């Protein structure tokens, strides 16, 4: 059974940091590129960041460059998203996505940036 389980979301003040985790199981994690997406209320789901299957070169949406960092640990079947300098407009549900022979989605974790 394939599972992507996000964690680490919560309420944080503007300027603060959070680290999201996504634990994968049920497929060969090291063969899949991993991505983070987010969806704010009333808006479409948007791309946040990606990392290839073996790690290395990462890619970010323009509004996240310099603030967010995606990483992965293939030994732990986990992908991370370090989010710094958070802004109210970063408030959204953050989703983990695995892309390889198939595509899988996690259930999402809520991030709320508010004072």
């Amino acid at each position: 059974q394939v599972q992507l389980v996000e964690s680490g979301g919560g309420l944080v003040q503007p300027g603060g940091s959070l680290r999201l985790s996504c634990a994968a199981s049920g497929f060969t994690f090291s063969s899949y590129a991993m991505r983070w997406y987010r969806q704010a209320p009333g808006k479409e789901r948007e791309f946040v960041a990606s990392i290839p299957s073996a790690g290395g070169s990462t890619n970010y949406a323009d509004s996240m460059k310099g603030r967010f960092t995606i990483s992965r640990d293939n030994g732990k079947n986990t992908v991370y998203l370090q989010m710094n300098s958070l802004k109210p407009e970063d408030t959204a549900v953050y989703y983990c996505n695995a892309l390889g022979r198939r595509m899988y989605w996690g259930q999402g974790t809520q991030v709320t940036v508010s004072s």
Side-chain angles (χ1 to χ4, degrees):
Q1 180 182 359
V2 171
Q3 283 192 312
L4 291 173
V5 180
E6 300 97 334
S7 61
L11 174 64
V12 63
Q13 292 187 342
S17 298
L18 282 175
R19 188 195 196 201
L20 305 183
S21 298
C22 172
S25 60
F27 63 99
T28 306
F29 180 77
S30 60
S31 296
Y32 280 68
M34 297 300 296
R35 303 177 296 180
W36 287 96
Y37 284 77
R38 71 183 187 184
Q39 188 167 18
K43 295 187 177 180
E44 294 187 355
R45 192 170 298 190
E46 65 172 343
F47 169 79
V48 173
S50 66
I51 186 168
S53 58
S57 179
T58 55
N59 191 33
Y60 300 92
D62 286 344
S63 62
M64 290 76 164
K65 288 180 180 178
R67 299 190 300 125
F68 291 10
T69 303
I70 187 172
S71 61
R72 67 188 294 159
D73 185 338
N74 285 352
K76 295 182 178 180
N77 287 0
T78 302
V79 62
Y80 306 97
L81 184 68
Q82 177 67 44
M83 305 186 295
N84 299 327
S85 302
L86 284 162
K87 306 174 182 179
E89 51 264 42
D90 293 318
T91 295
V93 178
Y94 284 71
Y95 297 91
C96 177
N97 170 275
L99 178 63
R101 292 183 63 186
R102 298 187 177 183
M103 179 183 289
Y104 305 114
W105 288 95
Q107 83 289 348
T109 185
Q110 176 70 47
V111 172
T112 302
V113 184
S114 175
S115 55

